[in-house]
Amino acid sequence: MIGASLGAAAYERAPEISRILAGVGPVEDTRRARLSAKADAILTLNGIGISFGGVTALSDVDLEVKSGEIRAVIGPNGAGKSSLINIISGLYHADHGTITIDGQPFARVPANHLARLGVARTFQNLALFGGLSVRDNIASGRVHTRHASFVEHIAGLPRARREDAMIAEKTDQIVAFLHLESVADRLVATLPYGLQKRVELARALVAEPKLLLLDEPMAGMTATEKAEMAGFVRAARDRHGVTIILIEHDIGVVMGLSDRVAVLDYGRKIADGTPAQVRADPAVIQAYLGTAEGEDSEGI
Ligand SMILES: Nc1ncnc2c1ncn2[C@@H]1O[C@H](COP(=O)(O)OP(=O)(O)O)[C@@H](O)[C@H]1O
Ligand SMILES: [Mg+2]
């Protein structure tokens, strides 16, 4: 049975998925920003494939992301979503295919130049410095903009001072944007999980990326925290023009927030379109509902 092999966690929200795929959800496509068909692609993946030993994590995946859109990638656990983000951010190197970022094609994205390419990301499992303050964690997202040498910094030379002032100013802006003022001087490790996820978003945003990759930014959050995070993600796009790739398990959030949704299953893209199109796609219904019906009660 396919459902059993996909794992129970993927279907923990099965009733909600059924409701939304059936078109009963609160989604109103009419409210969604309509993207011009002519909008430039900021990212294009062509024929991406990657295997780990005998496991094919991704196979012949194409994906186009237009400038200014919120592009969701969904799929059951193990479908290849994180691998996709890891390839776009240069952490993994694809066995096949090309990645074009802002017109520049790569077989392997140079991870150490990611910020200069205008790409920032968050991780599925938090990757913060627990022993540093919120402010210092956020500022670390801008270290790539420093050109002054270590000695210039120690000596407090003008260029170093200017750069530090700029980093501090950008950090303050993001702290205010994400409503983190009251915790800005706290050590990250002392914050509740939901706020730590927000700090990770802040660290990615402080780099002023054109393209932001969010790997399950709402995982493990309460409903209130999820709603707040969804608001911040939308605001990053609406107010700062950031293009966003969003991996998220909460289908309600995905359908309400995204302009277009790509669906992965066993490493293959099985559907791609607006939330309404994807919701009505028989392959998606089969991947989620068909298998969900086969799950035992533990999976639902
Ligand atoms: N670094 C890795 N080493 C070995 N296998 C991996 C690695 N990364 C991903 N995989 C495998 O690739 C498949 C897809 O994983 P992943 O991209 O994490 O899926 P998702 O994020 O959709 O849950 C899984 O079978 C996973 O075990
Ligand atoms: Mg993942």
Side-chain angles (χ1 to χ4, degrees):
M1 182 173 46
I2 301 172
S5 66
L6 284 174
Y11 299 111
E12 63 194 358
R13 306 195 64 87
E16 189 179 1
I17 292 167
S18 324
R19 183 172 56 76
I20 289 164
L21 291 177
V24 191
V27 180
E28 289 174 37
D29 273 8
T30 45
R31 278 183 317 179
R32 218 171 299 286
R34 293 278 165 221
L35 290 159
S36 155
K38 284 187 229 141
D40 292 334
I42 189 167
L43 175 79
T44 312
L45 305 184
N46 278 313
I48 292 296
I50 189 168
S51 299
F52 299 97
V55 178
T56 303
L58 290 169
S59 179
D60 201 21
V61 171
D62 295 337
L63 186 77
E64 183 215 47
V65 181
K66 290 175 185 165
S67 189
E69 77 177 329
I70 298 179
R71 187 76 154 102
V73 178
I74 67 170
N77 282 338
K81 305 178 300 294
S82 291
S83 296
L84 196 75
I85 282 204
N86 287 339
I87 287 171
I88 298 167
S89 57
L91 215 56
Y92 290 177
H93 294 146
D95 301 325
H96 309 281
T98 51
I99 303 111
T100 305
I101 301 174
D102 221 3
Q104 277 191 73
F106 299 97
R108 299 174 155 212
V109 176
N112 49 344
H113 293 160
L114 201 63
R116 266 180 262 162
L117 289 170
V119 182
R121 67 167 294 172
T122 64
F123 290 84
Q124 183 168 351
N125 301 307
L126 284 165
L128 293 165
F129 303 109
L132 292 183
S133 71
V134 166
R135 197 183 295 280
D136 287 345
N137 267 278
I138 298 172
S140 73
R142 259 195 102 86
V143 285
H144 66 282
T145 61
R146 277 185 163 169
H147 299 292
S149 68
F150 180 68
V151 174
E152 283 176 276
H153 276 283
I154 295 294
L157 295 185
R159 177 163 78 155
R161 285 213 307 272
R162 271 199 311 276
E163 287 177 2
D164 286 348
M166 174 60 85
I167 290 175
E169 186 188 328
K170 292 291 173 196
T171 300
D172 284 347
Q173 286 170 4
I174 294 295
V175 163
F177 176 59
L178 294 184
H179 302 179
L180 288 167
E181 294 98 329
S182 64
V183 295
D185 295 316
R186 295 241 323 248
L187 296 186
V188 155
T190 68
L191 296 183
Y193 179 76
L195 272 182
Q196 293 194 24
K197 295 287 266 188
R198 206 192 298 176
V199 174
E200 213 190 1
L201 175 67
R203 183 177 60 184
L205 281 175
V206 81
E208 298 181 289
K210 288 185 228 167
L211 178 63
L212 177 61
L213 315 173
L214 301 177
D215 196 349
E216 301 202 24
M218 294 142 199
M221 286 188 166
T222 65
T224 310
E225 288 170 336
K226 277 185 190 180
E228 281 171 1
M229 185 59 111
F232 290 129
V233 170
R234 185 181 279 121
R237 191 276 301 276
D238 290 350
R239 289 199 235 149
H240 297 282
V242 184
T243 305
I244 292 161
I245 297 184
L246 172 70
I247 293 180
E248 181 50 49
H249 266 304
D250 187 321
I251 298 290
V253 168
V254 165
M255 295 293 176
L257 198 55
S258 335
D259 297 298
R260 288 193 296 163
V261 184
V263 187
L264 295 179
D265 194 21
Y266 292 111
R268 290 190 172 274
K269 191 170 81 171
I270 60 165
D272 199 346
T274 64
Q277 286 167 342
V278 162
R279 192 166 59 195
D281 192 310
V284 180
I285 294 168
Q286 177 61 29
Y288 279 96
L289 300 183
T291 50
E293 277 164 16
E295 284 282 286
D296 58 24
S297 55
E298 191 197 348
I300 301 178

